[in-house]
C-alpha cells in the first residue's frame, strides 16, 4: 500500500473563488492508482475506475478514516485499503465485505468532475453538492492533430495569485528566461501593451516588432537576426491561455490572428492547494516548421526549463514576503496592469461571496 504523507488539517475553501471549474489534473495522470490531491484546502482523492470514469471524492473512508487514496482502484470505484469498503464515483459505498446491509450513512462527499480536452476539471461549489452552473472550459488545442503538446504538474510553495501575476506580466521574460524564451530585456519592458477586461476575464496583448529571436524560437524556426514578436494572454479566474509567437520581420500584421510564423500555445491551470501553496498544471504546444519538425520536442523541453525558472523566482518571492511580513507593501509599475486587474476580479468575487453569505445570515 502506498499512502500520501500526512497533510495540514482540512481548511476553509471560501477563501477562494467558488462556483468555478478548477483544474484537478491532466487525464494522463489518472492511470490505475488513486491520487491524493489537496485542492482549495480540501483533501481529495482522484481516480479513474476500471471502466474509465474519472471521479473525485473526499479522501477519507467513512468507516475508520483511512485516506481512500491509500486504497486501490477497481472497475466500479475505489476500495479502501483498510477493511475493503468499495466506493462508487458518486461517493456511495457499494460494498462492505462480509456485511450485506449497507447503511445509508455509508458514503463520502463527492465532487463533480469532467474530463475535457485531456484536462480533468473539478467543480468547486459554494453550496456543498450543488450542480455546476456553467460548462467546463474547453481547450481544443490539446486534441488538435496539428499540435503536439507536453505538460507538467508542478507543486508551488507559494500562493496561487503569485502565479497569476507572473503569467500576466511577461515583461519578466527578458530577465528570468534568457536561456529560452527571453530576449532583449529593454524591448520586453517597452513592449506595446494593451489590457482589456470583460466580466471575469482579462486580456493582455503585447507586441514587440524588430526584436532578436530568443534561443527557443531560434531552435524551432529559421529566424534571422530579428523577428516581430507577439504575446496574447487570457486570464480566466482558474486558468490562463497564453498564445505567443513571432513572424519574420514585416511579413504580416502582428495583431492578425491568422499571422504565420512560429507560435506556442500555453495552457496554465492554477489551483490553490492551501492558503500558501498551489498546484500549477501547464501544457505547451507549438507548430512545426516543415524543415525542422523534431524541434517541437526541444520547445517542450525548454518550456519545462522555463517554468522551473519561474518556480524558483516565485517561491523565493514568497519566502521573502513571509520574511518581511504584511508591512512590506508593493509598488505597482507599468507592467503590472494586467495582474492588478486580475487581482481586482478575484477580490470582487470574494467580496460578492462574502456579501451573499452575510445576507443569508441576516435573512
Ligand atoms: S477504514 Fe476504510 S474500510 Fe475500514
Ligand atoms: Fe516566466
Amino acid at each position: 500500500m502506498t499512502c500520501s504523507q500526512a497533510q495540514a488539517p482540512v481548511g476553509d475553501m471560501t477563501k477562494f473563488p467558488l462556483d468555478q471549474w478548477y483544474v484537478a489534473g491532466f487525464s494522463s495522470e489518472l492511470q490505475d492508482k488513486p491520487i491524493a490531491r489537496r485542492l482549495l484546502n480540501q483533501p481529495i482523492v482522484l481516480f479513474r475506475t476500471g471502466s474509465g470514469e474519472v471521479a473525485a471524492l473526499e479522501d477519507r473512508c467513512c468507516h475508520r478514516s483511512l485516506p481512500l487514496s491509500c486504497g486501490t482502484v477497481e472497475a466500479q470505484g475505489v476500495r479502501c485499503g483498510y477493511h475493503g469498503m468499495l466506493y462508487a464515483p458518486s461517493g456511495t459505498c457499494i460494498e462492505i465485505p462480509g456485511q450485506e446491509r449497507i447503511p445509508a450513512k455509508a458514503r463520502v462527499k463527492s465532487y463533480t468532475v469532467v474530463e475535457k480536452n485531456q484536462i480533468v476539471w473539478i467543480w468547486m461549489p459554494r453550496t456543498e453538492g450543488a450542480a455546476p452552473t456553467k460548462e467546463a472550459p474547453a481547450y481544443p488545442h490539446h486534441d488538435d492533430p496539428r499540435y503536439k503538446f507536453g505538460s507538467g504538474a508542478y507543486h508551488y510553495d507559494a500562493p496561487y495569485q503569485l502565479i497569476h501575476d507572473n503569467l500576466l506580466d511577461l515583461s519578466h521574460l527578458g530577465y528570468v528566461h534568457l536561456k529560452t524564451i527571453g530576449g532583449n530585456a529593454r524591448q520586453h519592458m517597452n513592449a506595446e501593451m494593451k489590457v482589456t477586461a470583460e466580466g471575469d476575464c482579462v486580456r493582455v496583448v503585447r507586441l514587440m516588432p524588430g526584436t532578436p529571436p530568443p534561443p527557443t524560437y531560434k531552435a524551432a524556426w529559421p529566424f534571422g537576426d530579428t523577428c516581430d514578436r507577439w504575446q496574447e494572454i487570457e486570464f480566466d479566474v482558474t486558468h490562463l491561455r497564453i498564445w505567443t509567437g513571432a513572424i519574420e520581420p514585416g511579413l504580416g500584421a502582428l495583431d492578425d490572428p491568422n499571422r504565420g510564423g512560429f507560435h506556442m500555445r500555453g495552457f496554465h491551470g492554477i489551483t490553490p492547494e492551501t492558503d500558501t501553496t498551489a498546484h500549477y498544471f501547464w501544457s505547451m504546444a507549438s507548430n512545426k516548421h516543415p524543415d525542422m519538425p523534431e524541434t517541437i520536442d526541444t520547445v517542450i523541453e525548454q518550456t519545462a526549463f522555463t517554468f522551473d525558472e519561474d518556480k524558483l523566482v516565485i517561491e523565493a518571492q514568497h519566502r521573502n514576503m513571509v520574511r518581511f511580513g504584511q508591512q512590506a507593501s508593493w509598488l505597482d509599475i507599468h507592467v503590472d496592469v494586467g495582474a492588478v486587474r486580475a487581482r481586482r476580479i478575484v477580490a470582487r468575487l470574494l467580496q460578492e461571496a462574502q456579501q451573499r453569505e452575510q445576507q443569508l445570515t441576516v435573512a
Side-chain angles (χ1 to χ4, degrees), residues 336-349:
D336 301 315
V337 182
V340 168
R341 293 247 176 123
R343 278 187 177 261
R344 275 195 211 132
I345 289 169
V346 171
R348 171 175 54 75
L349 291 173

Side-chain angles (χ1 to χ4, degrees), residues 61 63-66 80 82-85:
C61 177
H63 175 226
R64 288 295 183 265
S65 293
L66 185 75
C80 179
Y82 206 170
H83 313 96
M85 283 171 66

